[in-house]
Amino acid sequence: MEGEVGEAPGLGRPAASKDFHFHHVDLYDSEDRLQIFPEEDTQMRREVVQAEMTNEPRQPMIGKAQRDLGEEVDELVHLYGLEDDHELGYEFIDKSTPRIEVSEYPPYMMMGREPLREQRDWRLSGEAAKAEDLGFGAWGSAGQCRDLREAYRYTHGHASEEYECYVIPEEEDEEEAADVFCVTCKTPIRASGKVLVEHKEHEVTPLGKALESAKDEIHKNMYKLEKQIIEMENFASHLEEVFITVEENFGRQEKNFESHYNEILETLAQKYEEKIQALGEKKKEKLEALYGQLVSCGENLETCKELMETIEEMCHEEKVDFIKDAVAMADRLGKFLKTKTDVEISAQPEFEDQTLDFSDVEELMGSINTIPAPSAPVINPQAPNSATGSSVRVCWSLYSDDTVESYQLSYWPVQDSSPGKDRAEFTMTVKETYCSVTNLVPNTQYEFLVTAQNRAGLSPASECAVYMTAPCPPIMKSKEIRSCEEAALICWESGNLNPVDSYTVELTQAEVPGASGVTESVVGIPTCECLVQLQPRQSYTIYVRALNVGGPSARSEPATVHTTGSYFRLNEHTCHPWLTVSEDGLTVVRSERKAPAREPLPSDTRFTRCVAVMGNLIPVRGRHYWEVEVDECLDYTVGVAFEDVPKQEDLGANRLSWCMRHTFASSRHKYEFLHNKMTPDIRITVSPRKIGILLDYENSKLSFFNVDISQHLYTFSCQLHLFVHPCFSLEKPGCLKIHNGISMPKHITFY
């Protein structure tokens, strides 16, 4: 640290020259300041300073001084209560702490010192050494603690954070990064050393591969978890619907019970009032009859008593008076006795058996136990693969305590927005909680609702649910299928009026013995074409299915693909009107008939000036080879061009086409290899009858060959930034026949 200035704690760093050194000193001397170091240490300091000033060598006394310093510091630490590690700002050093090397002098001597002056005492500056009283420095309350910490750190092998570190830890080898993964122990390890020996018998794999495998496993688990979450959400939604249905059903039953019981109570109260009233009237009638008899009987009894008394009085009268009264009494008695006296009780005291008619009450009580009408069913969401092109399986659920005799399922096709159309509704009666509905239109949505029925009546209708039939099978476009040795481009039409969700391509390798099932499937295809990777020199049978929420359609008609060479057909949409393409798409003919006086109107897709046609080569980079059979006396042009080549220009007259042109005149053959109207000076002595064309995307080359004699004719170096297509032109009547889907000749593989 030569040329630097030591910075005292709490002080700024002033500018200093190279020979001027600042040290940790006390700026304010105090008479009563605690003397940290005893006199012998002061004497040692003096000797150190004197030796420095006279440049005399001095043998260090570090061993004893450091031990004494350590003991004194420990005493001070105990005196000030700083034994706690946390007050000193670091942890205790135990036996497990790595060995450290401590320099011979503390950091205060190492700062701002030249190498030859490193033995200067670290506790005093040059000026302070002359004064015996000067101590360790900055001994206020804060300064004492700070300097005690520094001293304690020094004696225990730690440096202050404010000064240069003088501890030199042992260098430890950095742990080397793991580069393989032990599958058995499921831990990353090094591929060399003792660690690999320990895992010698274990299964190991590269760390990158293990990482990719772990990521794939996590992604699979995440996919399964997402699928389970969706299923649980659907199940929770279904449970919620069932919960609401159960709650509504019990609420309806509670109201039903309450209504029945109220009706029963009203009926019983009415019967009670009627019976009480009847009993009162009967009671009144009997009591009145008995009371009348009692009154009549009392009157007769009084009359009898009066007659008896009169007769007794007559018996005591004189004979003459007796005879007179007796005659009158006899008449009176005769009349009285002739009067009939009712001595039978008109109302018997026995109670009549009062039979109570509770038939209506019993009927009401019986109606409480009658099965109520079912609750509304809940139609389940459409299950995957539950439909065909003409049928769909509909399922629903019902509260388990409901008794159901049958269900009525109603359905109709989902109407479009066209007004004025009557809805065609159909109804079916079934016993189960599912039904397969047939005679439906493919790839069409239908709305379904269901009601449950028992002897108590119909349930409320369920919510409408939309089900969809599976699509019609796609229509394979065999003429547009293209292939090469590594892939095939499969094309088809939807075959459905309404859109479908996706398509699936199924491939069966035909040449494998006993292979009857699907060997590979490509799923989730959004459009009506798919580029499929295949094995070279094989034959495949390919099918296509359309999919929607109802399920997959039936298979399409099969298409056969061979991966021997490159196979393509001529594109009739690019064909000049004067040319005719054969049914197999491999021959182009220009007839002898007279050409029309007017040329066709310009077009971006169809050749109008150049009498040419393009082929549909599969858009796959690599090597493509085909052959063209020509007539020696025919004017023709063959080659390749970009799809957007100008259709009003000749082939080879621009930067977008590379061609070989042949013209025959006066028994002379002229061959040109044209690109941007330029051709090399090449003479061909043997006129080819079959021209081989090699398109090499990898090396950006286009080569022409005379197939019959295996002769290389010419090679273009092309900048093929986009895909190109074969092109063929006839300047005079004649025909060109294309041979493709063939293996590349051996002599061509070297180009």
Side-chain angles (χ1 to χ4, degrees):
M1 300 295 291
E2 186 176 352
E4 291 188 2
V5 178
E7 181 181 355
L11 299 177
R13 183 188 292 261
S17 68
K18 184 174 182 181
D19 297 330
F20 192 83
H21 304 282
F22 283 86
H23 299 281
H24 195 75
V25 297
D26 191 1
L27 299 180
Y28 304 97
D29 191 13
S30 174
E31 296 278 354
D32 54 353
R33 183 186 61 206
L34 176 64
Q35 296 293 329
I36 302 298
F37 302 102
E39 288 297 324
E40 57 266 28
D41 295 330
T42 304
Q43 181 65 31
M44 181 183 67
R45 291 196 299 271
R46 288 177 178 175
E47 293 175 4
V48 171
V49 173
Q50 184 177 0
E52 280 191 343
M53 294 179 66
T54 59
N55 292 326
E56 294 181 359
R58 175 181 175 273
Q59 296 296 328
M61 299 175 62
I62 296 303
K64 181 177 183 305
Q66 187 169 353
R67 286 195 300 272
D68 295 342
L69 177 61
E71 294 175 0
E72 293 170 2
V73 169
D74 288 339
E75 290 182 8
L76 290 172
V77 167
H78 178 71
L79 176 62
Y80 282 91
L82 300 177
E83 294 92 340
D84 190 359
D85 259 354
H86 301 291
E87 292 188 20
L88 294 173
Y90 63 93
E91 297 180 353
F92 280 108
I93 301 175
D94 53 20
K95 294 181 180 180
S96 62
T97 307
R99 183 176 61 87
I100 60 176
E101 296 179 3
V102 184
S103 65
E104 195 170 343
Y105 293 96
Y108 304 96
M109 298 177 62
M110 304 293 294
M111 297 182 60
R113 313 286 294 179
E114 295 180 7
L116 297 177
R117 304 180 62 185
E118 289 182 352
Q119 296 182 0
R120 182 170 180 173
D121 193 278
W122 64 283
R123 287 163 297 200
L124 293 174
S125 64
E127 295 82 356
K130 298 178 182 179
E132 269 188 56
D133 305 2
L134 294 180
F136 189 58
W139 287 104
S141 59
Q144 289 175 343
C145 292
R146 181 169 60 253
D147 292 329
L148 275 175
R149 290 190 183 100
E150 296 302 329
Y152 194 84
R153 287 183 179 128
Y154 166 65
T155 59
H156 286 75
H158 286 259
S160 169
E161 296 176 357
E162 300 182 16
Y163 302 95
E164 277 203 58
C165 181
Y166 66 93
V167 269
I168 308 173
E170 275 189 336
E171 294 185 359
E172 296 182 359
D173 293 336
E174 294 184 359
E175 184 179 354
E176 296 182 348
D179 53 1
V180 295
F181 182 79
C182 178
V183 180
T184 306
C185 300
K186 299 187 182 302
T187 180
I189 59 174
R190 285 286 300 167
S192 60
K194 297 181 179 179
V195 178
L196 188 61
V197 176
E198 297 176 359
H199 300 266
K200 183 178 180 181
E201 304 296 330
H202 296 176
E203 180 185 355
V204 296
T205 183
L207 190 62
K209 184 177 180 181
L211 180 61
E212 292 298 327
S213 177
K215 288 181 179 179
D216 292 342
E217 187 67 24
I218 290 175
H219 290 161
K220 290 179 182 178
N221 292 334
M222 288 178 63
Y223 174 75
K224 293 179 181 178
L225 185 60
E226 290 175 356
K227 186 176 179 181
Q228 186 174 359
I229 289 173
I230 293 174
E231 291 177 356
M232 293 302 296
E233 288 178 348
N234 293 335
F235 179 68
S237 176
H238 181 61
L239 281 180
E240 184 178 0
E241 293 176 355
V242 173
F243 179 86
I244 295 173
T245 302
V246 170
E247 186 179 22
E248 291 176 352
N249 185 65
F250 271 97
R252 188 169 63 254
Q253 288 189 352
E254 288 174 0
K255 292 181 180 179
N256 187 29
F257 285 150
E258 183 178 359
S259 174
H260 277 76
Y261 277 114
N262 288 336
E263 187 176 356
I264 290 172
L265 291 177
E266 290 177 0
T267 302
L268 287 174
Q270 183 179 356
K271 285 188 173 295
Y272 173 78
E273 293 295 336
E274 290 176 356
K275 291 298 181 181
I276 290 297
Q277 185 176 358
L279 287 174
E281 291 176 355
K282 197 71 173 176
K283 172 185 175 182
K284 181 180 179 182
E285 181 183 351
K286 284 192 174 186
L287 290 178
E288 286 179 351
L290 291 173
Y291 182 76
Q293 280 189 319
L294 183 60
V295 171
S296 176
C297 181
E299 291 177 350
N300 290 336
L301 183 58
E302 290 293 334
T303 302
C304 289
K305 287 181 178 180
E306 183 182 353
L307 290 175
M308 286 295 294
E309 291 177 357
T310 303
I311 292 172
E312 287 178 359
E313 290 178 358
M314 285 175 55
C315 290
H316 295 288
E317 289 182 357
E318 293 294 334
K319 296 181 179 178
V320 178
D321 295 331
F322 177 77
I323 297 263
K324 291 180 182 179
D325 293 334
V327 174
M329 182 57 67
D331 295 337
R332 186 177 176 185
L333 284 173
K335 291 180 180 179
F336 180 75
L337 292 174
K338 288 180 181 179
T339 303
K340 188 176 179 180
T341 302
D342 187 8
V343 293
E344 294 181 1
I345 300 175
S346 59
Q348 296 296 327
E350 292 82 5
F351 288 100
E352 298 177 0
D353 186 11
Q354 298 293 329
T355 302
L356 299 177
D357 184 11
F358 286 106
S359 59
D360 50 354
V361 177
E362 291 175 356
E363 183 179 352
L364 288 173
M365 291 295 292
S367 65
I368 295 178
N369 299 323
T370 300
I371 298 172
S375 57
V378 178
I379 298 184
N380 302 336
Q382 184 172 8
N385 303 325
S386 62
T388 66
S390 60
S391 66
V392 65
R393 182 183 174 89
V394 185
C395 301
W396 57 89
S397 304
L398 191 69
Y399 177 55
S400 58
D401 287 348
D402 287 347
T403 300
V404 178
E405 297 176 358
S406 63
Y407 298 94
Q408 289 186 358
L409 179 66
S410 300
Y411 63 95
W412 55 90
V414 174
Q415 296 289 337
D416 54 20
S417 58
S418 302
K421 287 189 176 181
D422 296 332
R423 188 176 74 178
E425 184 172 341
F426 306 91
T427 303
M428 301 175 63
T429 301
V430 295
K431 296 288 187 181
E432 298 81 11
T433 56
Y434 60 89
C435 179
S436 293
V437 184
T438 58
N439 299 323
L440 303 178
V441 180
N443 200 36
T444 303
Q445 290 182 329
Y446 287 85
E447 284 187 300
F448 290 86
L449 64 81
V450 65
T451 56
Q453 185 177 11
N454 60 18
R455 62 188 180 187
L458 281 172
S459 72
S462 67
E463 295 290 335
C464 286
V466 176
Y467 277 54
M468 193 170 190
T469 53
C472 291
I475 301 171
M476 193 72 74
K477 299 165 71 173
S478 301
K479 292 184 178 181
E480 297 186 16
I481 294 178
R482 295 163 271 172
S483 64
C484 63
E485 292 198 348
E486 300 174 354
L489 183 63
I490 314 301
C491 303
W492 62 88
E493 292 180 357
S494 172
N496 295 272
L497 296 177
N498 297 323
V500 300
D501 294 341
S502 64
Y503 298 93
T504 297
V505 173
E506 300 175 354
L507 302 95
T508 302
Q509 195 165 337
E511 293 186 1
V512 177
S516 58
V518 175
T519 59
E520 184 179 357
S521 294
V522 182
V523 300
I525 304 170
T527 60
C528 289
E529 66 177 26
C530 176
L531 187 63
V532 184
Q533 299 295 323
L534 302 176
Q535 297 296 324
R537 295 175 294 280
Q538 300 292 333
S539 294
Y540 292 87
T541 302
I542 298 179
Y543 305 88
V544 180
R545 296 180 188 266
L547 286 88
N548 62 12
V549 295
S553 69
R555 278 180 168 182
S556 66
E557 292 295 325
T560 302
V561 172
H562 304 281
T563 56
T564 302
S566 298
Y567 177 80
F568 62 89
R569 289 171 177 259
L570 297 175
N571 186 355
E572 297 182 2
H573 300 293
T574 64
C575 185
H576 191 281
W578 298 353
L579 297 179
T580 303
V581 177
S582 63
E583 184 67 23
D584 61 1
L586 299 176
T587 303
V588 57
V589 179
R590 180 171 180 176
S591 62
E592 295 283 352
R593 63 187 178 183
K594 186 178 179 180
R598 296 179 57 187
E599 290 187 354
L601 295 176
S603 172
D604 292 333
T605 59
R606 184 183 297 273
F607 286 98
T608 54
R609 184 179 182 278
C610 178
V611 185
V613 63
M614 298 183 76
N616 272 336
L617 187 64
I618 185 171
V620 173
R621 294 189 176 273
R623 305 184 85 188
H624 301 276
Y625 176 77
W626 64 93
E627 297 175 353
V628 184
E629 187 177 337
V630 300
D631 189 345
E632 293 181 357
C633 301
L634 183 66
D635 291 354
Y636 60 84
T637 304
V638 294
V640 298
F642 288 110
E643 186 174 2
D644 58 348
V645 65
K647 304 301 189 293
Q648 294 78 35
E649 297 181 8
D650 291 333
L651 295 175
N654 47 62
R655 296 180 179 273
L656 302 179
S657 57
W658 295 261
C659 300
M660 171 184 173
R661 184 167 70 183
H662 169 258
T663 55
F664 180 74
S666 302
S667 301
R668 296 183 61 183
H669 298 275
K670 181 181 180 182
Y671 292 92
E672 297 175 288
F673 295 92
L674 294 169
H675 174 64
N676 199 22
K677 298 182 180 180
M678 298 179 65
T679 180
D681 186 11
I682 295 178
R683 296 181 183 274
I684 298 176
T685 57
V686 179
S687 297
R689 299 181 61 86
K690 185 180 289 186
I691 301 171
I693 302 174
L694 175 63
L695 173 62
D696 189 350
Y697 279 103
E698 296 176 356
N699 299 308
S700 299
K701 291 182 178 180
L702 177 69
S703 302
F704 297 88
F705 302 87
N706 187 337
V707 177
D708 294 333
I709 60 175
S710 303
Q711 180 187 19
H712 172 245
L713 301 177
Y714 184 73
T715 296
F716 285 103
S717 293
C718 314
Q719 297 297 324
L720 303 176
H721 55 280
L722 296 175
F723 291 107
V724 294
H725 296 281
C727 54
F728 312 88
S729 174
L730 287 170
E731 301 302 327
K732 293 181 180 180
C735 72
L736 296 175
K737 188 173 183 180
I738 297 122
H739 298 270
N740 56 27
I742 57 178
S743 298
M744 191 181 305
K746 292 182 180 180
H747 69 276
I748 293 179
T749 58
F750 299 104
Y751 290 93

